[in-house]
Amino acid sequence: MSAARRLYRLNRSVPSAVEYAEIRRLEREFFVQRADALEAAAPAFASRGELVKALGERLAEEEANPSASDLFITEEANLAQFKEIVSQFAVDGLIESQSLLAIIPRLPSRSRMAVFRVLIDEFGCGNDDQEHAGLYAKLLTELGLPTDLDHHVERAADEVLGFVNLFYWLAARAPEPDYFLGAYSYFESSVLYAFRSFAAAGKRLGLEQDRYYTEHLYIDAFHSKQMQTAIRELDQERGVDLRKVWAGVELTSAVVAEAVDAAVARAKEVA
């Protein structure tokens, strides 16, 4: 079993003391060292406004320059290849936002509530038919793929598993919640253009259960604003560490790109 798969399974378990130490060791290898390096190299932002501006510029640049993997999904992936990509990301889609829950008690009240408003949407506001994980299951079913999580965990590329493992670390064990707020602020904003490729592929391939993607293309505009609010409220409560926030942005951008590239590489192996 790969280290990434082992960490994914540990994150979904009730670990013993020995297993918890293993989680911490693996997270140091996968994320802590990278986050430390990114924090040390982060710009010396003079204010939260400067960071928000830099984040906006980063997002605009990514949106204007889609990756080769994004273009492949949008324009080229056939049905068999798209099924492989959907299967790869089932390790996230079938447990959508469950990895984020540990952040809630780590934030002060007003910052916590801004994040919670996002999570309420992710879990469908308590409506089974609206829960994002349920929407993903319907997509899998239409594609003739299993909805059993273990099936996809055993097949997933390490980089895709690492994307989910990252958010378990950010929410539960990153030294400060500032990393998470930067990461999730970036992620919710980037989905507004990143999921266009998936939505376009679903439409091009004639899928009916593409709502998992199209839902994100409008609701995440609200989520993006809520995450900006969460950073502001944390800053007003006790001061936010802008270097840690930016490290969260950079780390998440890199890990997401690695995950998408790995999923597309698997898809291209499909005849």
Side-chain angles (χ1 to χ4, degrees):
M1 182 184 299
S2 72
R5 187 167 289 104
R6 172 65 174 167
L7 180 55
Y8 184 97
R9 291 203 175 279
L10 287 171
N11 277 323
R12 301 277 300 164
S13 73
V14 179
S16 66
V18 172
E19 289 170 333
Y20 190 77
E22 184 180 1
I23 290 173
R24 299 288 282 173
R25 177 181 63 78
L26 290 171
E27 288 179 337
R28 282 195 297 273
E29 294 175 7
F30 284 129
F31 309 125
V32 176
Q33 296 176 17
R34 291 180 74 174
D36 287 347
L38 291 168
E39 183 180 348
F45 296 110
S47 66
R48 179 168 45 83
E50 282 191 10
L51 182 144
V52 171
K53 180 182 178 183
L55 175 57
E57 292 171 349
R58 172 65 171 270
L59 293 163
E61 180 179 359
E62 289 186 1
E63 182 176 9
N65 297 280
S67 70
S69 292
D70 292 330
L71 293 174
F72 175 81
I73 295 169
T74 302
E75 301 171 357
E76 298 182 43
N78 61 33
L79 183 59
Q81 291 169 329
F82 190 66
K83 285 173 65 173
E84 178 61 27
I85 295 168
V86 172
S87 175
Q88 287 290 313
F89 280 106
V91 297
D92 176 54
L94 286 174
I95 62 166
E96 178 109 357
S97 297
Q98 292 177 21
S99 62
L100 312 178
L101 293 172
I103 195 62
I104 295 302
R106 302 186 63 195
L107 294 168
S109 176
R110 296 181 69 86
S111 182
R112 176 171 65 245
M113 292 309 296
V115 174
F116 201 70
R117 284 190 285 272
V118 176
L119 295 184
I120 287 172
D121 284 338
E122 301 291 347
F123 289 102
C125 300
N127 184 332
D128 290 341
D129 292 333
Q130 302 288 340
E131 184 191 18
H132 290 183
L135 297 178
Y136 207 90
K138 291 178 181 178
L139 174 64
L140 289 168
T141 298
E142 181 182 3
L143 291 171
L145 295 168
T147 57
D148 174 58
L149 179 62
D150 283 341
H151 170 85
H152 300 284
V153 172
E154 288 305 309
R155 298 185 68 260
D158 284 353
E159 294 86 349
V160 181
L161 294 165
F163 158 60
V164 185
N165 289 336
L166 170 64
F167 277 99
Y168 274 109
W169 175 72
L170 287 165
R173 286 174 293 276
E176 298 292 342
D178 310 51
Y179 295 98
F180 174 90
L181 293 182
Y184 205 46
S185 183
Y186 163 83
F187 184 73
E188 287 294 318
S189 298
S190 68
V191 165
L192 291 168
Y193 53 84
F195 267 24
R196 287 179 193 160
S197 60
F198 292 87
K203 183 176 182 180
R204 176 170 55 81
L205 296 169
L207 298 181
E208 296 180 0
Q209 298 295 337
D210 62 349
R211 189 175 163 201
Y212 175 81
Y213 302 118
T214 58
E215 179 90 357
H216 285 82
L217 292 179
Y218 77 89
I219 194 62
D220 281 4
F222 168 72
H223 292 176
S224 176
K225 293 177 181 177
Q226 288 303 308
M227 291 310 303
Q228 295 291 331
T229 298
I231 295 173
R232 183 190 70 226
E233 295 296 344
L234 181 64
D235 194 25
Q236 293 177 353
E237 176 76 18
R238 54 95 160 137
V240 72
D241 189 322
L242 299 177
R243 287 183 178 272
K244 288 180 172 60
V245 173
W246 190 252
V249 170
E250 293 271 30
L251 181 57
T252 304
S253 175
V255 169
V256 169
E258 290 162 8
V260 175
D261 287 345
V264 167
R266 290 286 185 92
K268 288 180 177 180
E269 296 173 359
V270 176

